[in-house]
Amino acid sequence: MEFSRARPRRQRCSPLAEVYPFPIQFYEQPPIENVSLQDFENFAVERLKLLKCIETLGVSYIRASEAYNKKLEAEFRKLRFPYRVSSEEKLDEYEIRRKDHISHFILRLAYCQSEDLRRWFIQQELEVFRFRFNELHNKQLEFLKHNKLEYQAIETKEKEDVKMKLAASGGHGSVKIDEWLFYKVPFTDALELVRVRKVFVKNGFAYIPHPEIVIIVLNEFRQRLSKSLAIASRSLPVVQSDERLQPLLNHLSHAYVGQNYSIQKNVGKISLEQIDSLAVKSYPPCMRQLHKTIRDNHHLRHGGRMQYGLFLKGIGLTLEQALQFWKSEFIRGKVEPDKFDKLYAYNIRHSFGKEGKRTDYTPFSCMKIILSNPPSQGDYHGCPFRHSDLELLKQKLQTYKIPPAGIAQILDLVKGMHYQLACQKYFELTHNIDEVGFSLTHPNQYFNESQKLLNSSRDIKRESSQPDNSQWNQGSQATRGASTSASKPTSQVSSSDMDGLEELLSEGYV
C-alpha cells in the first residue's frame, strides 16, 4: 500500500489584500464599488452600534484601562470589525476590512450635517483609531511608513544630552529611556501630552517617546477627518436628493445622542419656588454653579444664559415661568423692566421656538458643554470639571460637603481628563450610592436620574408607613416607571440654527 504525501494547501490571496494591508486606515480614498441598499444599511447600523458602545464605555470606564480595552475588544469581535493584525490573514478578514471602510464613509455622509454631529463622530472615530493603532504593536512603524508618516528619531548623542530631563518629564526610568526611540516634533502637535506634562519641551519642540507616538498620529487623523467632513458637507445637496438614501441618513444622524430632552415631560410641574432646593439636591455641578451665580449676581452673560436657560426648559419650566424667573433676577440686578422686555425677553421666547425660525432648541449635552465655547473671564458656563482650576474645584467641592476621600477621587479623574466620570462620582457621593447604574451624557439626564432616585426613596418610606396600601403603591410605582422609560424620537437642531441663537444672545447683551 502506497501513501502519498498530502501537498500543503496554499492560502489563496484575496484581491483585497493590497487595498487593505492593515486593519486600520486613514480613510483617504472613498470606496468606488457598488453596494446594495441592504448592505448599505446593515454596515452603517453596525458601525453606529460600535461608536455608541465606545461613547458608553468612555463614561463608564477610564479610557485605555485594562477593563475598557477588554470590553471594547469584545464589541469589535461581536460586531465583526477589524482591530488587530492576525498571524494568519484569512479571506474573511479582508471582507471585514472592506465593511469597515464602507461603513466609515456612510456615517461620514450622515454625520457631516452639523457641527454637533461632526464633533461627536470625530470623537468616537478617534477612539476607534487609538485602540487599533495600539493593537498594531510592532507593525506601527510599518503602518506609518505606508501612510507616508515617518517621524525622525533623535540621534543618540542628543538623547544623552537631555536624558535626565526626558526621565524627569515623563517619570520614566533610565533603562526605558535607553530602549525607546524619541521623536522631536513641534509642541503644537502634542498639546495633549504637554497639557499633562508628560513630555520634555525645548525650543518649541516636544520630545515624544515611542509609546506616546499614538498622540501625534491621532492629531494627524483628527485633522484629516475634520477636513474630509467639511468637504463632505458641501456635497450634501446631491446626496439628499436621492430618495433612497435621505431617510436612512437622517435616521442615522438622529440616533447618536439618544434622548435630547427637547420634548418636555414635566411642563408646569416644577414651580419657581422649588428651584433653589432642586439646585442643591438634583442639579449637576455645571448647573448648580450657574444657578448660584444668577442668584448672587442677578446676571449671567450670554453663554451662561444659553446653557442654564435651555436646561431649565428641559426640566419642565414653561415659557411664562422662564420669563418670570429671568426678569425677576435681572430687575434685582438693576435692569429696568422695559429694558429687559426689549433686550432679553425676545431671546427667551426664541429659545422656546416662539420667535424667529420657530425652532425648538435642545438643552446642551455634556459633550457640547465640554468641547465647545469654553468660558472666559467673567463667564460661569462650561463644565467645572473641565474648565475650573483644580484648587478652585477642590474648594467648590468642599462647600458642597463632599468628604475629603471623595474629593481626592474626583480630582484624580479630572487629572486624567475623565470629566464625565468625575461627574458620575459626584452623583454617587451626593446621593449616597455605590454606583450610578447609568452612563452620564447630559445634565438633564443627571437631573432626571436624581429625581427618580429621590422620589423612589420617598415612595419606599411612604410604603413602610402605610403597609395596607403597599400593593397599590407598587402598582402606581411600576406605572410611573413605565411612563418615564418611554421615549419619543426627536429631531436634532442644526448647527446653523444654534449659531443663530448664539448670535441673538450675544448681540451686545452681556
Side-chain angles (χ1 to χ4, degrees), residues 11-12 14 86 88-95:
Q11 177 73 43
R12 291 184 297 130
S14 169
S86 58
E88 183 181 341
E89 301 287 7
K90 300 177 182 178
L91 293 179
D92 62 344
E93 172 69 19
Y94 296 109
E95 288 297 330

Side-chain angles (χ1 to χ4, degrees), residues 264 313 318-320 323 345-361:
Q264 298 167 274
K313 173 190 168 188
T318 64
L319 173 58
E320 292 72 24
L323 286 168
Y346 177 88
N347 300 330
I348 296 169
R349 292 195 299 272
H350 190 279
S351 68
F352 275 78
K354 304 301 181 184
E355 299 285 358
K357 297 179 181 179
R358 311 280 174 174
T359 303
D360 194 12
Y361 291 96

Side-chain angles (χ1 to χ4, degrees), residues 294-446:
I294 188 65
R295 287 302 200 203
D296 291 347
N297 302 343
H298 311 297
H299 189 273
L300 276 175
R301 298 176 71 176
H302 77 274
R305 296 199 301 272
M306 285 181 65
Q307 183 173 316
Y308 190 42
L310 291 174
F311 171 81
L312 289 174
K313 173 190 168 188
I315 68 174
L317 253 62
T318 64
L319 173 58
E320 292 72 24
Q321 287 176 311
L323 286 168
Q324 183 184 343
F325 172 77
W326 290 106
K327 187 171 185 176
S328 64
E329 288 299 333
F330 274 56
I331 289 174
R332 289 176 188 170
K334 309 298 189 226
V335 174
E336 295 295 328
D338 290 343
K339 183 179 179 182
F340 178 87
D341 292 338
K342 182 179 179 181
L343 299 184
Y344 299 102
Y346 177 88
N347 300 330
I348 296 169
R349 292 195 299 272
H350 190 279
S351 68
F352 275 78
K354 304 301 181 184
E355 299 285 358
K357 297 179 181 179
R358 311 280 174 174
T359 303
D360 194 12
Y361 291 96
T362 302
F364 291 175
S365 67
C366 291
M367 182 172 293
K368 183 173 180 65
I369 292 171
I370 290 171
L371 296 179
S372 65
N373 189 25
S376 56
Q377 188 174 3
D379 287 328
Y380 293 90
H381 64 274
C383 171
F385 301 113
R386 170 65 181 88
H387 299 117
S388 293
D389 175 79
L390 283 178
E391 189 57 37
L392 292 177
L393 177 61
K394 181 180 179 180
Q395 294 173 13
K396 189 172 296 181
L397 293 172
Q398 289 171 342
T399 64
Y400 293 161
K401 304 292 192 294
I402 305 297
I407 292 176
Q409 288 178 301
I410 290 174
L411 294 180
D412 283 343
L413 290 168
V414 170
K415 289 173 185 175
M417 296 185 287
H418 307 295
Y419 310 117
Q420 287 162 277
L421 283 179
C423 198
Q424 285 187 188
K425 177 57 66 176
Y426 173 86
F427 186 101
E428 293 169 0
L429 293 167
T430 53
H431 290 78
N432 257 345
I433 57 174
D434 294 330
E435 285 190 9
V436 293
F438 60 88
S439 296
L440 182 63
T441 60
H442 205 290
N444 289 84
Q445 177 196 12
Y446 183 108

